[in-house]
Amino acid sequence: MRLAVLGYGVVGQGVVQICDEDVPELDVVRILDLPERCSGERMTSSFDEIVGDESIEAVVECMGGLEPARSYILAALEAGKHVVTSNKAVVAANFQAFVDAADQAGVSLFIEATTGGGIPWIASIAKARRIDFVSEFSGIMNGTTNYIIDQMSRHGLDFSEALARAQELGYAERDPSADIDGIDVANKTIISCGVAFGVACRPDLPVAGIRNLTKADMDLLAERGLSVRLLGRGVCDGHGYAACVEPVALPARTLEACVPDNFNLVSLTGQTIGELKFYGQGAGGLPTGNAMVQDLIDCASGTRLRYDLSAGLSWDPTLISGTYLLRTTADIDGEGGLAPGTVLMCDVTSEQAHEALAQALKTDPEALLVALPEEF
Amino acid sequence: MRLAVLGYGVVGQGVVQICDEDVPELDVVRILDLPERCSGERMTSSFDEIVGDESIEAVVECMGGLEPARSYILAALEAGKHVVTSNKAVVAANFQAFVDAADQAGVSLFIEATTGGGIPWIASIAKARRIDFVSEFSGIMNGTTNYIIDQMSRHGLDFSEALARAQELGYAERDPSADIDGIDVANKTIISCGVAFGVACRPDLPVAGIRNLTKADMDLLAERGLSVRLLGRGVCDGHGYAACVEPVALPARTLEACVPDNFNLVSLTGQTIGELKFYGQGAGGLPTGNAMVQDLIDCASGTRLRYDLSAGLSWDPTLISGTYLLRTTADIDGEGGLAPGTVLMCDVTSEQAHEALAQALKTDPEALLVALPEEF
């Protein structure tokens, strides 16, 4: 199969390397990059040249960002080319539009690499759904924040020290907001909701990150045997669904609490299969490239995917509720917390807890929200 | 697709329930059981009736044991029927013969449910191999022994108390030897070697179980931050391979050390994907039934599998080596151990360590072998 790769950063290079070295049936004939970075015969800075080449059956988008990725993906689908993408931001924002365009043209959209990097997460949800109703998913979906938390927890670093180390290693961007504010996880949660529940997830789900997580917060929870992880979560009961992104305190002897470095761990629950968990590299050129090449092998061997986001599910915030800890100097309703300056909100929905956080942040920009485990 | 289920125990019932309730395209037309247990129209005690029915395209073997399972599987394959089995003992003992018979008849052998219960382990290895050289695998592949270890570690039970509890819950057989002596894990390790490395694994790989594991052994290791798990392991370097089954002491903050109850966790390493881990129910009617129904859905949708066990790999015991702890009253060469009555064997192969254990067991039937982590 002849294919073109859009974007030649870490992931694009991973895809090209794996295709060239390991999968002779995948022929990378064009690589799109900026004009000043084009060297070698197959590189081009003209997307039109790619989209107009009828011999190219699949386009691999690893540019990231919303534009021109959105336009290129739509144009490729409309031109009858299959699209494989690792770009969670653009898929989360345009999932329905991409699905419609793919359906219209009779081609497939492959999104394994958008969520969980090299972990076969999207395919595993889809496979579970062949038999089971998938009632929930949750997981560590962002390696950068897991690395920061792991460094803070294992080596006693402050948040800013751990972030700086993540930036040195190339795990975090110079502007780390998408990672530490939970935006990247929100995109992956929206995509997972689509695949797991068949719903076009609302874009404004409750999202809280770890920007304000301090060593003192972690110590306070560690005294109670708890360890914080940033989780994306989704729940569905067949009529409604809920989703959120938030720091969650987990008992130290859970698998999630032991995930090291920048690894990811994602879980799903189905009615006959029970709980399945998948662990692996959530980012990086070769693992993410591997996920994209797996999609390409499926595509080349005739697999056609069709996502259906039309399940008539309403947003039901009561599906995610529990006890939340809010650490803030703001004046917020709730019981006395675990320490001075903390408030416990019992039996509230995630949405309510996030509203209280938003309220607190107006006067206390350092406020932190953490979901506590059921047994708490 | 019309299919017959051989054996109507926990797993067989799971398969039938899932097919009947959730997968209308899978039509269970015959169920084989003992004459005295046949009730209802589709039950029969005659295998000949099944194998002679040309309308039956697939046979689902969940009887367990070596015979008549082996004969029935061969007869079904030779009659041109696809075979889906959960029977690790019969596949481990006859992998090459089954592959040959399937090849000859142009049908497929599906073995997902033999290893890891509901975990998509066999399919994940096969998928990884489409791109990567898989250099090793390891994992907790037996839920019964994990349950025993977890009970001992979390609730301070003795081995015999934990085993009795596992038997009460139906996790362990009345004769628990296949579980606690590592035989079940050995079968799954042999199958995993076949799928991961393409080798017909030798049947007499080094196998040690947890029959002699005591609370005192666990306490001794826990003092050093270590937790014991029974692991199946395989390593391949492209020329040779090694495999073994043994108790391994793992740092408490590893995922393996946190696997609760009777769950399984299996890992593989590929050159571009890195490390992937899969966690789920390793047994039980519905999870194992789910894995078999996944195979059936693949089969019905035209997937044809072909295992190739002809990789020219020689047995190379040096591929699994390290430091081993032998707790015994027998007189064995080695350095002073962690406590009186224990010996440390440094930089030995797994095979050498198991030979020392065999030597010790001659005079000390209570001897225990544990592999220590690299950092030890």
Side-chain angles (χ1 to χ4, degrees), chain B residues 173-255:
Chain B
E173 311 273 330
R174 226 174 315 166
D175 174 2
S177 309
D179 290 324
I180 66 177
D181 291 334
I183 299 161
D184 176 74
V185 180
N187 288 331
K188 294 165 175 171
T189 300
I190 289 169
I191 294 169
S192 300
C193 278
V195 180
F197 309 146
V199 71
C201 180
R202 61 188 278 183
D204 59 341
L205 66 166
V207 175
I210 61 158
R211 182 186 284 274
N212 290 343
L213 181 66
T214 66
K215 191 75 192 61
D217 297 322
M218 293 181 68
D219 291 344
L220 181 70
L221 292 163
E223 281 167 27
R224 281 144 184 97
L226 299 174
S227 181
V228 174
R229 299 287 148 169
L230 180 62
L231 299 187
R233 313 166 89 175
V235 178
C236 179
D237 68 358
H239 308 287
Y241 77 104
C244 67
V245 177
E246 57 196 21
V248 179
L250 297 155
R253 278 196 59 152
T254 54
L255 270 67

Side-chain angles (χ1 to χ4, degrees), chain A residues 11-12 15 26 60-62 84-87 110 112-113 117 287-297, chain B residues 131:
Chain A
V11 174
V15 170
L26 296 177
V60 182
E61 187 272 307
C62 20
V84 175
T85 178
S86 59
N87 183 336
F110 292 87
E112 182 61 73
T288 308
N290 183 297
M292 302 188 90
V293 176
Q294 291 285 10
D295 276 350
L296 286 165
I297 293 172
Chain B
I131 297 173

Side-chain angles (χ1 to χ4, degrees), chain A residues 130 272 277 279 290 294, chain B residues 127 130 272 279 290 294:
Chain A
R130 303 197 305 185
T272 69
K277 294 177 189 272
Y279 167 97
N290 183 297
Q294 291 285 10
Chain B
K127 187 170 179 178
R130 303 196 308 185
T272 69
Y279 166 96
N290 183 297
Q294 291 286 9

